[in-house]
Amino acid sequence: MSRTEIRITGFGGQGVVLSGYIIGRSCAVNAGQHATMIQSFGPEARGSSCSSTLAVSDTEILYPYVHRPDIFVVMSSDGYKMHGQDLKDNGTLIYEKDLVHPKFKKGQRAYGVPSTRIAESLGKAIVQNIVMVGFFAAVTKIVPYEAIRKAVKDSVPAGTEELNLKAFDAGYNYYEEAYGKE
């Protein structure tokens, strides 16, 4: 792998920062790689634009900032409007297909998942971000399945592990069903 840059956007309350933390943790702790994360959000916190950026590498990361991500995970249309043009020309776009309607550039790969609907079908819309993390894991294969699944289990509040692991598996399986034959 060398260096891979990732941006995750959405609005406050969607679990954008936790998603970035889980991906970074799965790389750095569970897969023996290096990861840095920077988060930003509006002064309103809930409901305002929120972003998490990660640099992941198999070597030490000396510069943590991300300008043109290789992978862009989008959970809200505002996040896409703010940062959609930053995705590298050959980058991968992963988006919440019920909330985001992106315009694709030639050379970019795009994968949509109804993560909110899937989370609601599990009984809790709040796990939408974990559905997205599962989908991200299946699309990118940047971290082994068990490593990122363990990061989910170790990062969510005590007592919610079972639901969050179901959400992770649902996102992962959605990719396999919708795109797995690519």
Side-chain angles (χ1 to χ4, degrees):
M1 161 175 49
S2 61
R3 181 181 168 112
T4 301
E5 296 185 350
I6 304 164
R7 178 182 304 276
I8 304 168
T9 66
F11 53 82
Q14 277 188 302
V16 170
V17 174
L18 178 60
S19 298
Y21 176 80
I22 288 170
I23 293 167
R25 180 180 183 146
S26 68
C27 292
V29 175
N30 299 345
Q33 300 167 356
H34 299 267
T36 63
M37 183 180 97
I38 298 172
Q39 61 193 21
S40 68
F41 41 88
E44 303 88 357
R46 283 205 180 274
S48 66
S49 182
C50 183
S51 173
S52 178
T53 58
L54 294 105
V56 177
S57 178
D58 49 9
T59 61
E60 187 176 357
I61 298 169
L62 302 175
Y63 184 77
Y65 296 99
V66 170
H67 297 290
R68 302 271 331 254
D70 301 286
I71 303 167
F72 185 31
V73 180
V74 189
M75 296 188 222
S76 74
S77 59
D78 285 347
Y80 183 76
K81 287 176 191 170
M82 286 181 74
H83 300 286
Q85 72 283 356
D86 298 340
L87 180 63
K88 287 184 179 170
D89 292 339
N90 63 344
T92 300
L93 176 66
I94 298 170
Y95 63 99
E96 206 306 345
K97 72 188 235 177
D98 291 339
L99 301 177
V100 180
H101 307 288
K103 295 179 178 142
F104 312 114
K105 293 181 187 173
K106 185 176 180 178
Q108 293 177 341
R109 292 165 309 285
Y111 302 90
V113 58
S115 54
T116 304
R117 228 179 325 139
I118 292 170
E120 288 170 347
S121 76
L122 296 172
K124 296 272 187 186
I126 197 164
V127 296
Q128 177 268 340
N129 64 322
I130 305 301
V131 173
M132 190 64 84
V133 169
F135 188 71
F136 166 91
V139 169
T140 66
K141 306 283 193 273
I142 200 168
V143 180
Y145 170 83
E146 285 303 326
I148 197 161
R149 195 170 191 278
K150 180 174 178 0
V152 168
K153 183 179 180 190
D154 295 344
S155 302
V156 298
T160 68
E161 297 92 347
E162 184 179 338
L163 174 62
N164 280 284
L165 290 174
K166 282 182 185 176
F168 175 83
D169 290 339
Y172 197 94
N173 293 335
Y174 182 87
Y175 171 79
E176 295 296 321
E177 293 165 12
Y179 299 98
K181 297 190 181 1
E182 286 190 345

